[in-house]
Amino acid sequence: MLEYINDPNDIKRIQPEDYKLLAKDIRRFLLKNVSRTGGHLASNLGIVELTMALHLVLDFPKDQLIFDVGHQSYVHKILTGRKDGFQNLRQFHGMSGFPKRKESNCDAFHSGHSSMSLSAALGMVAARDINHTDETIVAVIGDGALSGGMAYEALNNMARLRKEKKNLMVILNDNKMSIAENVGGMSAYLNKVRTKKEYVEFKGNVEQSLMKIPGIGRELTTIIKKSKDLIKQLFVPGMYFEDMGITYVGPIDGHNIPLMVDTLNRAKQLDEPIIIHVVTKKGKGYRPAEQNPAKFHGISPFSLKTGEVLKKSDNPSNTAVFSQTLIEEAKKDKTIVAVTAAMPDGTGLGKFKEHFPDRFFDVGIAEQHAVTFCAGMASRGLKPVFAVYSTFLQRGFDQVLHDVAIGNYPVIFGIDRSGLVGADGETHQGIFDIPYLSMIPNVTVMAPINGRELKEMLKDALHHAKGPTAIKYSRGEALSLYEDQFEELHYGKGQVIKEGSDAVIIGVGNIFDEADQAVKILGEEGYNIGLVNPRYIKPFDKEMILDLAGKYDKIITVEEGVLNGGFGMMINEFLSENDYKGKVRCFGIDDQFVEHGSVSELRKMLKIDGESIADSIRQWMKE
């Protein structure tokens, strides 16, 4: 059936009796391609029929469809004529795994982080009315994303649309999961709703017709409306959305295409906001993904037959080192607690939960709350560790600054996926953490170059933190580079790995292996280049930097992050203030967002790989 889907809206030419065949073909297509390239699988398998129904009702690119987070947009991409792009899904210069307006005008809004769709949709409704256009605007949000505070801010604002008689459709895609199993009050509420008898209501023109009855129309309408609301309370506990002024429909079967098409078509006719509660099964159609949707949320290339990842390393990841060290220390110290924002497996805290369920907290997709929650615990003598991806901690910036740093509370931030993360692209690259953390008073920022340093930095922070402490580490294997030269940690002090004479390279954290490679390449050509591990980004070792300034007339910094406000800029400014007469070169990422691709490909493109660094230094030496 996919042969007939080559352009937007082609699905409208498919006969209703063939919808099931098309859904089956789409699932086969997804499995074949994602097993080869890797990607977000379970969420896309679960949303096949729902996406088909939306495409049968909406007109692209006129109508606007916003996917919350966006990792579930693969079916939408197929149905808008991009199936050939799956050959290079999430590959360097290939098709993104998230919606991208620059990729297609059928993608209404770029996304990548959770709980944003309702706000974006409300903005589009405002623009529609100001521009006097008539497009239908739909936001698809998962039940997991409703644990994010931004979604509630939008819901609160959405209620005004009923008074203004403006339509906005929200599809609540309820699959009982975000990345891991959902937590919190909204999850419990939706569980209750699912257990009740199906409740679907459309007002149509009933109220208007009753109003026309002479003498008793208005009174009869009021009585019926009150009775209807009482009945509604019996069938749908709490009526949370209705009480906020948003019409609620559901729950309905998210795999029943005719039912969804009928529901969506009628919802389009309303002059008010409506939430359509759709229940789907994450991973549907592929047994391993149905049984373990968290594993197949985002997965590397895998065997279709067994469901097992094809490439596995025997070496521990940085995440695993962090997790194991935290468990070891928590066994000795009962004040250590761990917090995650809906990422227990991704951050390695799932194992901590197994050992210490009473000291583990999953707050849902709510990074802002997580940070202040940690501050509250730290204020009462606990040692909270918030393990979070670099890109997601950005959403808690104000809380780090205002609630943690001002009080100087010893909250430890395990910043996972710091630096380039690869295939997820612009929205997930952890390249901004040095500037946004280093600018905050009282915050300590550390960057290990190998697994041994990561372990010792966490242990040191747990027992000697002077205030908010961030330890940033990359995705993937923990390096063993220079572990044999490990020296005891001292607060704010770096380590000279190799002395030189021609120049010195200061390599920050996870990019240190590229700096080391550059030193070795240049060494083979006769250059004698020193190599330094700063360990501490803030406070950096001023005494050591001044010592280097006295020995070298050329100082190079290398970091896997943006240069603007980064480590190199801080060192350059410090040297300038101290009248350094030599020259400084800073290697990092210019003022830009970085697309998707493998880390090695991206480093080469950005000229921060070992060979590119060596080549630049070589040319510099000849000037």
Side-chain angles (χ1 to χ4, degrees):
M1 298 303 299
L2 277 178
E3 293 177 10
Y4 302 102
I5 306 295
N6 298 299
D7 293 296
N9 306 308
D10 277 355
I11 190 174
K12 292 180 172 64
R13 294 200 287 267
I14 302 295
Q15 297 302 309
E17 60 266 26
D18 291 328
Y19 290 163
K20 287 186 178 180
L21 286 174
L22 178 57
K24 190 173 182 180
D25 276 0
I26 289 173
R27 285 194 171 91
R28 277 205 201 101
F29 181 86
L30 288 172
L31 285 164
K32 176 184 176 182
N33 284 279
V34 177
S35 67
R36 182 178 52 81
T37 63
H40 293 95
L41 183 62
S43 54
N44 285 289
L45 291 175
I47 204 174
V48 172
E49 289 86 359
L50 172 54
T51 309
M52 287 173 59
L54 286 164
H55 277 256
L56 286 163
V57 171
L58 301 178
D59 180 27
F60 292 97
K62 176 188 174 183
D63 293 329
Q64 304 292 293
L65 177 59
I66 306 113
F67 288 98
D68 205 278
V69 186
H71 62 277
Q72 76 284 50
S73 62
Y74 293 8
V75 185
H76 170 72
K77 288 175 183 265
I78 293 170
L79 296 177
T80 50
R82 284 175 274 174
K83 63 187 179 194
D84 290 343
F86 280 81
Q87 293 292 323
N88 298 303
L89 176 68
R90 292 160 44 94
Q91 308 297 305
F92 192 49
H93 294 324
M95 187 170 71
S96 171
F98 293 88
K100 290 283 182 288
R101 286 189 59 81
K102 63 184 179 183
E103 186 180 285
S104 170
N105 61 359
C106 294
D107 289 354
F109 199 84
H110 69 274
S111 51
H113 287 188
S114 176
S115 311
M116 43 60 64
S117 60
L118 305 186
S119 298
L122 280 168
M124 291 182 182
V125 168
R128 178 185 64 192
D129 296 332
I130 289 172
N131 295 329
H132 303 292
T133 53
D134 63 351
E135 66 271 17
T136 299
I137 296 169
V138 182
V140 179
I141 184 169
D143 51 322
L146 282 180
S147 64
M150 187 175 174
Y152 294 97
E153 294 175 23
L155 284 171
N156 183 60
N157 188 232
M158 193 182 299
R160 66 178 173 79
L161 297 185
R162 175 172 280 182
K163 294 180 181 178
E164 298 170 0
K165 295 187 176 181
K166 297 175 181 177
N167 177 264
L168 168 61
M169 280 200 287
V170 176
I171 310 298
L172 172 53
N173 179 28
D174 180 3
N175 56 28
K176 308 179 187 179
M177 295 282 291
S178 49
I179 295 173
E181 185 176 350
N182 284 330
V183 297
M186 178 54 70
S187 176
Y189 170 76
L190 293 175
N191 279 331
K192 288 181 182 179
V193 174
R194 292 186 211 106
T195 63
K196 294 292 180 180
K197 184 178 178 180
E198 180 174 278
Y199 179 88
V200 179
E201 177 218 19
F202 282 94
K203 287 190 280 188
N205 296 316
V206 175
E207 289 182 18
Q208 291 181 18
S209 299
L210 289 172
M211 288 287 288
K212 293 178 181 178
I213 300 176
I216 62 168
R218 185 176 300 277
E219 183 179 353
L220 186 60
T221 301
T222 302
I223 293 171
I224 289 176
K225 186 176 187 305
K226 286 181 178 179
S227 299
K228 178 193 68 176
D229 288 342
L230 289 172
I231 293 169
K232 203 181 276 186
Q233 292 288 344
L234 293 175
F235 283 98
V236 185
M239 285 310 301
Y240 177 82
F241 303 110
E242 292 271 355
D243 288 344
M244 291 189 73
I246 305 167
T247 297
Y248 170 90
V249 172
I252 63 174
D253 181 1
H255 302 294
N256 185 330
I257 296 175
L259 174 60
M260 284 190 292
V261 168
D262 179 62
T263 304
L264 292 168
N265 273 320
R266 288 194 282 165
K268 281 178 66 176
Q269 309 309 313
L270 296 179
D271 56 357
E272 58 191 67
I274 180 170
I275 288 180
I276 303 172
H277 183 177
V278 177
V279 178
T280 60
K281 186 175 182 63
K282 201 167 187 179
K284 184 175 173 62
Y286 183 54
R287 189 178 298 276
E290 289 181 1
Q291 294 175 338
N292 192 350
K295 174 182 175 181
F296 286 88
H297 170 77
I299 192 165
S300 300
F302 65 96
S303 165
L304 268 176
K305 185 176 181 179
T306 65
E308 293 301 317
V309 174
L310 296 177
K311 292 182 180 178
K312 287 187 176 181
S313 173
D314 294 329
N315 299 322
S317 65
N318 283 312
T319 302
V321 171
F322 185 89
S323 172
Q324 187 57 41
T325 304
L326 186 60
I327 291 169
E328 291 171 0
E329 295 305 302
K331 289 177 180 177
K332 297 179 284 186
D333 187 342
K334 293 182 179 180
T335 64
I336 294 173
V337 295
V339 177
T340 180
M343 302 286 287
D345 295 327
T347 59
L349 293 187
K351 292 185 178 179
F352 185 97
K353 178 183 179 181
E354 293 174 8
H355 286 82
F356 313 105
D358 295 336
R359 288 192 269 156
F360 168 83
F361 303 93
D362 185 346
V363 301
I365 304 175
E367 289 83 2
Q368 291 175 293
H369 163 61
V371 173
T372 304
F373 176 57
C374 286
M377 289 191 288
S379 74
R380 306 305 297 166
L382 296 182
K383 297 177 180 177
V385 178
F386 180 26
V388 58
Y389 290 6
S390 174
T391 184
F392 298 141
L393 184 58
Q394 291 164 185
R395 299 193 289 183
F397 172 79
D398 180 62
Q399 286 67 35
V400 175
L401 190 156
H402 190 273
D403 298 330
V404 178
I406 289 179
N408 202 27
Y409 296 121
V411 175
I412 298 170
F413 298 95
I415 305 182
D416 206 322
R417 270 66 166 178
S418 180
L420 296 169
V421 298
D424 284 334
E426 297 100 319
T427 55
H428 285 64
Q429 310 286 15
I431 59 176
F432 304 101
D433 48 31
I434 292 178
Y436 78 68
L437 288 171
S438 296
M439 66 178 287
I440 303 175
N442 292 335
V443 173
T444 296
V445 183
M446 309 163 77
I449 65 169
N450 54 46
R452 174 76 184 279
E453 274 198 346
L454 173 56
K455 180 176 183 177
E456 295 302 325
M457 284 179 176
L458 177 56
K459 289 168 63 177
D460 185 77
L462 286 167
H463 302 296
H464 306 293
K466 298 178 181 295
T469 302
I471 306 170
K472 52 188 254 78
Y473 47 94
S474 65
R475 181 181 190 176
E477 291 184 18
L479 299 178
S480 58
L481 187 69
Y482 294 112
E483 283 190 339
D484 58 341
Q485 293 187 34
F486 178 82
E487 294 178 358
E488 184 179 352
L489 288 174
H490 294 283
Y491 185 76
K493 295 297 180 181
Q495 179 184 5
V496 176
I497 300 295
K498 177 184 176 297
E499 297 282 0
S501 56
D502 297 318
V504 62
I505 299 178
I506 307 172
V508 178
N510 51 297
I511 197 74
F512 195 82
D513 58 332
E514 302 289 1
D516 180 65
Q517 184 184 0
V519 167
K520 290 174 179 174
I521 290 172
L522 292 169
E524 292 174 356
E525 299 172 13
Y527 294 103
N528 187 10
I529 310 295
L531 183 62
V532 171
N533 169 19
R535 287 185 162 178
Y536 286 82
I537 295 168
K538 185 192 177 189
F540 62 80
D541 190 343
K542 294 181 179 180
E543 184 180 349
M544 181 184 73
I545 298 300
L546 289 175
D547 185 58
L548 296 176
K551 293 179 179 178
Y552 299 95
D553 61 1
K554 290 183 175 63
I555 296 177
I556 301 114
T557 65
V558 180
E559 58 195 300
E560 195 173 70
V562 292
L563 289 168
N564 191 10
F567 179 77
M569 182 175 286
M570 290 188 284
I571 296 300
N572 201 1
E573 182 180 5
F574 175 74
L575 289 169
S576 177
E577 290 173 350
N578 285 274
D579 298 321
Y580 177 58
K581 304 303 181 185
K583 296 180 178 180
V584 180
R585 285 284 177 93
C586 301
F587 291 88
I589 299 171
D590 290 327
D591 191 23
Q592 63 180 296
F593 293 105
V594 180
E595 63 177 296
H596 55 277
S598 70
V599 171
S600 59
E601 288 170 328
L602 295 177
R603 284 179 173 179
K604 189 171 184 179
M605 177 189 76
L606 297 165
K607 299 188 183 303
I608 54 173
D609 63 299
E611 290 185 1
S612 297
I613 295 168
D615 184 59
S616 296
I617 294 174
R618 187 186 303 112
Q619 297 301 318
W620 190 28
M621 293 290 188
K622 293 177 181 178
E623 292 177 1

